[in-house]
Amino acid sequence: MENGEEHDPADETGATIKRLTMVGRLALLQQDIGRAEQSFTEALQAVDDDHLELAVDLYRRLGQVCKQNGRFQQAQDLERAAEALTEHLEPPLDLSVAGLSRLVAALRTAPQERVMLGSILSRLAMLERLEAGGAAMARAHMEEAVAIALELEPDSSETLVRQSNLAGMRGLDGDLPGAIELADSIKDQVRAEDPRGASILLRSIAQLRARAGEVDGGAADAAEAVELATAAGAAAERAAALSALGMIRSMQGDLAGEAATYREALAVLRAEAGESADGAMASAVNLWRLAKAERSQGDLGQAIEHLTQGVAMLREHTPRGDQLVEMLYSLGEAQAEAGEIGAAAAALRETARITLSPTMRVSCEIRLGDITKELGHYEEAQRMLAEALADAEALGNEGLIAGASMALAGVYRWSGDLDRAQRLYETVVERTADDSPQHAMALSNLAGVHYARGDFDAAALRYRKALELASDLRSVLNITYNLATALHGSGDLAEADAYYAAVVDGITSANRARAEAISGRGQIAAAQGRTEDALGYFRETVATAEQMWAATRGDANRSALFARSEYYYSQLLETLQRLGAPGNAAEALTLAELTRARTLQARLGEPAATAPKASRLEASRLRQKLAAVSRRLLHARTDPESGEATLAGLHRQERELSAALEDLVSPAHPVASAGMLTSAQIQAALHQGTVLLEFQVVNSRVFAWTVTTYAIDLRVLPTDVSELTDLVLRVVGPYHAGLPPEDAAGVWDELREAVLGPLGPLPPETGMLLVSPAGPLNVMPFEPLLDGPTVVYVPSATVGLRPRAPRPNRVAEAEFVGFGNPAFDRTLPEFADLPSLPGAEVEVEEIAGLFGSRGIAFCGDRATEDELRSWARRCRYLHVAAHGLVDLDNPMRSGIVLSSSRMMRLLREPGHDDVLHGYEMIDLDIAAELVVVAACRTGFGSEWHGEGLATVGSALLQGGARWVLVALWPVGDLVSVAFMRVLYEALLDGVAIPEAVKAARAEIRADHDDPYWWAGFALFGLHA
């Protein structure tokens, strides 16, 4: 040996183990989990019988790494190995804080054991750091351990580890200058010994400098860390250094550079880390940071894409980890900002389900309440946000209290309770610091209260103040838009337009703020007489609204969203009509189609097998549960023993089930389905001799299109909606009470003149009239207004004319299957006022007799929901003569009263399986060409924004029926029997369904002139 010294292999092995352990500890300190595991594993492999005591520490360090990676079973195995080895190496040491403290006290009395004292002090400090309130003592002990190391072993690797740990403690304690000074003092030594370790250390120094305000110096250190890691071929360290550099560039305000750096980090990880858990975790973090940068730049589409990728990675590796929770929450916020309301709600609900943090859970509650407000569900939003505010106050979290208060105030503001809104906003202003984002937003919202009261000058003043305080881009754009509206209201159109333009330029994604700003520019252009400019802006507004609608999941969510954006379509329709240029009527018709029956068209146009089977089954299961809740609500509303608590609980169940259904990717998601027809496509789909009359309520006026294969004419009815509603009620209102008006002919003449008179005569060749009604026209028949054409009602031209998706070919096992006079429990309060229907029983049995062996009648106890479900897909004509139930609050709760199944009667379970609700009709998979529902008022329902009238009939169309005949008012038994007999006799003679209905109507009209007797049934269907 050199200088005659003997080489001691044991010393070399020990040095190797200690060096590898030091590298691993440095990596662990910097959260470089993969490097730490590699170093600890190599050190453990180097352990021999002379160094078993070092293996105990290595087993435990490897266990710590496994825990951080979610490999808990492996971590337990390593802990057992450490315990077993400790017992083998008697005597066991008490390695707790208390035990090590006693050992330190003993070692202080033995000056010759200062090396051991330093080692134990270092270990004690690391344990104390993890204990509550132990930070100060931990740092003091680590300072002493470093002093001993510098005194006795200044150049050892252990000294570097202790100094690095101490620098980290100083940084966490806020002593940034001390941390930076210490880290700077050792970086050259670390660089010389281990370039990879130097990259880790420089990354730490860079972050410390940035926190201390030395942002440029931090950027230089981070850049050097990237260079060192690149030179060392250390991909993980290079990616980590790039990520740190990206965060520092964000602090420099270099958003483009920040995003580019994260993309480079992701490229490194994809090239080197592959599918490893560590690589996936690091990639997810960088995707998260990249998405934040993109969102700050207004690129919401890319941000959502990258957040979605990151969430998928984290779901695979840490399905309940904190990082997944944070990223899911960020995804929900980005989707909400982009107008993807349904997806945002789904992400936030999942976040609330998996988080263990009460603070995060309340944050989700606030955001979900805010989304509910944006959808226009004010009562529900108020309930949600009041609960969130109570939870925030219980936590004592001022930030959450301010957020919940502002969101709740927003509900009060939008629902018209301005005084309560103002009080809450003022409370937030008082409780938040002047330089906080919440303070600026509270001022902005307070200005909104002034705006709502019409005090535009006061609103503008407060908006300007809020704009001065706002710091982040989203808040600036939000307040800028609000300021524009105030200036617009005060008449300062030029400045308002400039602010609207700034908002449009600053928001690249399709969301409500962008749509509102474009709409504002259009309104200003119209006010200034720049009609063509206004037309362009209004078209762009509708295009933005369409992107928002397509990105929103769930029928109720889409309807609520359309309620908030319906006026975008109205202002474009009015502008097109007012200009009257060639082609405007056609464009207006295309636009009108976008406002009606969109969910119905999506369901009819989408093949059933498109959605995953599991998704279809889950959606069906949820609708069955909603039907069960609807049945219990029906009972609870009339049962004197059911209190408010019962009703509240049922409504809560309904909300939760509806939310779960909205979260599912529907089999008929609009993005994947065929779109609405254009005016040219409508004309091409019309048969020769067929005319379409389509009506649309636009603000207070009714637009009417007359469409043939060769022309499109647009007129506006001179009678406004309010007057037309009164007139319709004068006509059909008495029919619902069974009392035709005394001057029925005169009232019908007046209605004819108001509705059809302004349109002029129909073309003489008109044989078929398709009517797509709107507003009050939904509840009246058109047959009494004209003679000649066969009338068919369609929810929209698209639904009526576009061929539906192919359905399975089934052989009908029966031509006619009828259900009449179902037996139900009249002791139930909800059925107490429903009489028996012997005429319905006669009707069904007589018609079944017309079909001979191919006709089946189920009456009384046999008229069950189970039988109807079974035969709906196995017959040609399905006929139900029973009582109908109409729920105007939620048409999907409407239904048909049937008989309970035999099993339910045997089990004495009253009120089960005796009403077929709209929720269930959607899943009937009807193969019948015609479904007749001879039940009272089954043509009645409620207007859903973007859908039109939702009724039992529309639910049956969704369930697969091609044609549905429903009752607009109660029709007497004798008339109903006669009408149906003629209808089915015509069908047996081969007459098409619309003409058969017309023939039945003519037969009754021959003996009864008043439309009460012959116009009560309306045929809805798919003409194509």
Side-chain angles (χ1 to χ4, degrees), residues 149-354:
L150 289 173
E151 175 191 344
L152 301 177
E153 302 175 296
D155 298 326
S156 72
S157 59
E158 177 63 25
T159 301
L160 288 176
V161 170
R162 291 182 198 175
Q163 288 174 302
S164 181
N165 286 335
L166 178 57
M169 288 182 179
R170 287 178 178 177
L172 291 172
D173 285 346
D175 181 10
L176 298 180
I180 294 169
E181 180 183 6
L182 179 55
D184 274 340
S185 71
I186 63 174
K187 67 180 181 183
D188 289 339
Q189 186 178 353
V190 174
R191 186 188 288 114
E193 292 190 11
D194 181 8
R196 181 181 293 185
S199 175
I200 297 171
L201 182 62
L202 277 166
R203 186 173 81 225
S204 177
I205 295 172
Q207 292 166 328
L208 289 169
R209 285 198 201 285
R211 285 176 55 201
E214 300 176 25
V215 180
D216 292 340
D221 284 334
E224 186 180 354
V226 172
E227 293 174 3
L228 285 169
T230 303
E237 284 74 15
R238 180 185 172 197
L242 283 166
S243 186
L245 180 58
M247 289 188 288
I248 294 171
R249 284 181 172 163
S250 173
M251 298 170 73
Q252 292 176 311
D254 182 6
L255 296 179
E258 176 192 7
T261 305
Y262 293 140
R263 290 190 186 97
E264 186 179 351
L266 284 165
V268 171
L269 289 167
R270 291 190 186 106
E272 300 293 336
E275 300 298 322
S276 70
D278 290 343
M281 294 286 287
S283 292
V285 170
N286 279 284
L287 283 167
W288 184 9
R289 291 171 179 168
L290 174 58
K292 286 182 177 180
E294 290 166 335
R295 190 177 170 198
S296 295
Q297 292 175 287
D299 191 352
L300 287 175
Q302 281 294 306
I304 290 169
E305 180 181 341
H306 289 137
L307 285 167
T308 303
Q309 292 173 8
V311 164
M313 291 177 178
L314 292 175
R315 277 202 184 108
E316 181 179 354
H317 296 287
T318 57
R320 297 188 70 87
D322 290 343
Q323 286 180 327
L324 175 59
V325 167
E326 293 286 350
M327 189 172 281
L328 261 175
Y329 182 80
S330 296
L331 175 59
E333 283 203 311
Q335 288 169 325
E337 188 177 347
E340 298 178 15
I341 304 299
L348 291 165
R349 277 193 280 266
E350 183 180 354
T351 306
R353 282 195 300 269
I354 68 174

Side-chain angles (χ1 to χ4, degrees), residues 555-568:
D555 299 349
N557 282 343
R558 286 192 290 266
S559 179
L561 177 68
F562 192 84
R564 297 291 299 275
S565 56
E566 189 170 11
Y567 78 92
Y568 301 153

Side-chain angles (χ1 to χ4, degrees), residues 295-300 337 441 444 463 466-467 470-485 499-509 511 513-514 517:
R295 190 177 170 198
S296 295
Q297 292 175 287
D299 191 352
L300 287 175
E337 188 177 347
M441 290 309 300
S444 175
Y463 282 136
L467 194 57
S471 54
D472 66 283
L473 179 62
R474 288 189 295 278
S475 296
V476 168
L477 289 171
N478 182 286
I479 298 170
T480 300
Y481 166 73
N482 290 332
L483 175 57
T485 62
Y499 279 119
Y500 281 138
V503 174
V504 174
D505 290 341
I507 302 175
T508 58
S509 60
N511 65 9
R514 178 178 173 82

Side-chain angles (χ1 to χ4, degrees), residues 528-557:
Q528 293 174 334
R530 296 183 288 114
T531 311
E532 287 299 325
D533 289 344
L535 192 60
Y537 287 131
F538 292 151
R539 283 171 175 149
E540 188 179 355
T541 304
V542 168
T544 303
E546 283 295 296
Q547 292 175 346
M548 293 164 57
W549 193 92
T552 301
R553 284 194 301 188
D555 299 349
N557 282 343

Side-chain angles (χ1 to χ4, degrees), residues 470-727:
S471 54
D472 66 283
L473 179 62
R474 288 189 295 278
S475 296
V476 168
L477 289 171
N478 182 286
I479 298 170
T480 300
Y481 166 73
N482 290 332
L483 175 57
T485 62
L487 294 167
H488 191 169
S490 66
D492 190 348
L493 301 186
E495 189 175 5
D497 190 50
Y499 279 119
Y500 281 138
V503 174
V504 174
D505 290 341
I507 302 175
T508 58
S509 60
N511 65 9
R512 190 165 178 270
R514 178 178 173 82
E516 290 285 346
I518 300 169
S519 174
R521 299 204 74 188
Q523 292 168 34
I524 289 174
Q528 293 174 334
R530 296 183 288 114
T531 311
E532 287 299 325
D533 289 344
L535 192 60
Y537 287 131
F538 292 151
R539 283 171 175 149
E540 188 179 355
T541 304
V542 168
T544 303
E546 283 295 296
Q547 292 175 346
M548 293 164 57
W549 193 92
T552 301
R553 284 194 301 188
D555 299 349
N557 282 343
R558 286 192 290 266
S559 179
L561 177 68
F562 192 84
R564 297 291 299 275
S565 56
E566 189 170 11
Y567 78 92
Y568 301 153
Y569 299 79
S570 295
Q571 63 190 5
L572 179 53
L573 279 168
E574 288 194 318
T575 305
L576 289 167
Q577 186 273 331
R578 185 168 59 251
L579 290 176
N584 280 12
E587 182 181 349
L589 176 61
T590 298
L591 183 63
E593 280 294 295
L594 296 177
T595 68
R596 57 210 298 132
R598 299 188 66 161
T599 296
L600 176 57
Q601 162 54 25
R603 292 188 187 280
L604 296 178
E606 188 81 4
T610 297
K613 183 178 181 180
S615 177
R616 299 200 307 274
L617 292 175
E618 178 63 9
S620 179
R621 184 186 70 83
L622 289 169
R623 282 191 285 268
Q624 288 294 320
K625 287 189 171 185
L626 280 163
V629 171
S630 298
R631 181 62 187 89
R632 291 197 290 273
L633 273 170
L634 177 65
H635 178 75
R637 285 171 169 172
T638 54
D639 179 18
E641 297 182 6
S642 298
E644 290 298 321
T646 300
L647 283 170
L650 289 170
H651 282 299
R652 183 172 58 254
Q653 289 181 45
E654 185 178 50
R655 286 193 301 268
E656 292 171 353
L657 289 168
S658 295
L661 186 59
E662 297 285 274
D663 288 350
L664 279 179
V665 178
S666 167
H669 194 285
V671 172
S673 67
M676 309 303 283
L677 293 180
T678 65
S679 56
Q681 291 171 324
I682 291 171
Q683 286 184 283
L686 288 173
H687 299 158
Q688 195 67 33
T690 299
V691 175
L692 167 70
L693 287 184
E694 180 154 312
F695 297 87
Q696 175 77 10
V697 175
V698 181
N699 296 323
S700 63
R701 304 191 298 167
V702 178
F703 285 31
W705 288 264
T706 304
V707 186
T708 64
T709 57
Y710 52 84
I712 298 176
D713 181 61
L714 170 60
R715 307 284 177 93
V716 178
L717 303 188
T719 307
D720 68 24
V721 173
S722 177
E723 295 170 334
L724 192 60
T725 300
D726 290 342
L727 183 56

Side-chain angles (χ1 to χ4, degrees), residues 326-389:
E326 293 286 350
M327 189 172 281
L328 261 175
Y329 182 80
S330 296
L331 175 59
E333 283 203 311
Q335 288 169 325
E337 188 177 347
E340 298 178 15
I341 304 299
L348 291 165
R349 277 193 280 266
E350 183 180 354
T351 306
R353 282 195 300 269
I354 68 174
T355 185
L356 300 177
S357 165
T359 299
M360 176 57 77
R361 180 179 55 78
V362 176
S363 296
C364 291
E365 290 173 1
I366 295 170
R367 202 67 187 88
L368 283 166
D370 208 33
I371 286 174
T372 304
K373 178 204 74 176
E374 286 295 313
L375 290 169
H377 303 315
Y378 297 131
E379 185 176 339
E380 174 70 0
Q382 182 176 332
R383 179 195 65 79
M384 294 170 66
L385 290 167
E387 292 177 1
L389 179 56

